[in-house]
Amino acid sequence: MGRQIAAGTIHAPDDDDEAAKYEVADELFNSAGLEWYEISNWARTGFESQHNLGYWKNIDWAGIGPGAHSHYNSVSGISKQSMDDCALLADSSKFYNLRSWDILHPKRWAHAINAGNVPWQNYECINSEDALIEEVMLGLRIREGLSIDELCTKMRKANCEFDDSYLQKVLIEVCKEDLAVLNKNRIAATRKGRLLNDLLIEKIVDACQNGLVMR
């Protein structure tokens, strides 16, 4: 669909029309006993997809097989791992948010395995700013929301001079705007916040970034 829109074959959906249909769907699902647990997923309590929740909760996972992706948070002690056409040289005293993806072609992947190499096609170490955006984006997609305490702890770990006063002001602001609710120091999107999720994420990320430069 994205390619068709880009090519002009079809028109992009109208934002207001999509929002109206989302609200109708949300009401119908709720009336059928299905509750939202992720911005575009509903389920009966206890039947949520644990596999998908793992992605949205930003947990670690190891992908095994041609083209598989792996996701590791706060990895340390990585040094001189030989891979097929790729070498990761990292400071073993530092922590990294590591993302890697395996060789796509099955024969090349098998060759790397048989040669005793890590079969990565490539990798990237996520910087603290991208890790912050990822953390906020994923946390605000799910019903249980984002832990403010955990977010502030991670910000202070990245920058010991982090000042959360601006973040606290923005939390009050987004709640007044009915974009989010704050419960037990977790912020979660309202229905309006789900519809305007990009705006909500932008406000929280900006607040955190401003806290890093405030002295």
Side-chain angles (χ1 to χ4, degrees), residues 161-180:
E161 296 187 64
F162 175 66
D163 183 341
D164 68 355
S165 61
Y166 191 76
L167 174 60
Q168 296 301 331
K169 292 178 183 177
V170 171
L171 292 175
I172 294 172
E173 175 186 312
V174 296
C175 289
K176 286 183 177 179
E177 294 174 350
D178 192 32
L179 292 173

Side-chain angles (χ1 to χ4, degrees), residues 71-186:
H71 176 288
Y72 306 104
N73 291 309
S74 298
V75 176
S76 66
I78 305 172
S79 61
K80 299 181 180 179
Q81 290 198 46
S82 61
M83 292 160 278
D84 187 19
D85 301 324
C86 179
L88 174 60
L89 302 177
D91 184 342
S92 60
S93 67
K94 294 182 179 179
F95 287 87
Y96 297 86
N97 294 300
L98 181 67
R99 312 291 182 257
S100 66
W101 47 100
D102 281 15
I103 297 166
L104 182 61
H105 196 284
K107 287 186 177 179
R108 287 189 59 223
W109 184 88
H111 174 75
I113 291 291
N114 291 332
N117 294 325
V118 177
W120 288 355
Q121 177 70 43
N122 214 329
Y123 69 92
E124 61 179 340
C125 291
I126 304 298
N127 61 37
S128 57
E129 182 176 345
D130 288 340
L132 163 66
I133 295 172
E134 191 176 75
E135 181 86 11
V136 174
M137 178 185 69
L138 293 171
L140 290 175
R141 288 186 66 90
I142 57 178
R143 183 175 59 203
E144 66 187 66
L146 181 69
S147 168
I148 301 304
D149 287 340
E150 291 178 11
L151 179 61
C152 289
T153 296
K154 290 179 180 179
M155 294 302 298
R156 291 191 177 95
K157 184 177 180 181
N159 186 316
C160 61
E161 296 187 64
F162 175 66
D163 183 341
D164 68 355
S165 61
Y166 191 76
L167 174 60
Q168 296 301 331
K169 292 178 183 177
V170 171
L171 292 175
I172 294 172
E173 175 186 312
V174 296
C175 289
K176 286 183 177 179
E177 294 174 350
D178 192 32
L179 292 173
V181 292
L182 196 59
N183 182 33
K184 295 181 180 179
N185 219 31
R186 299 189 74 91

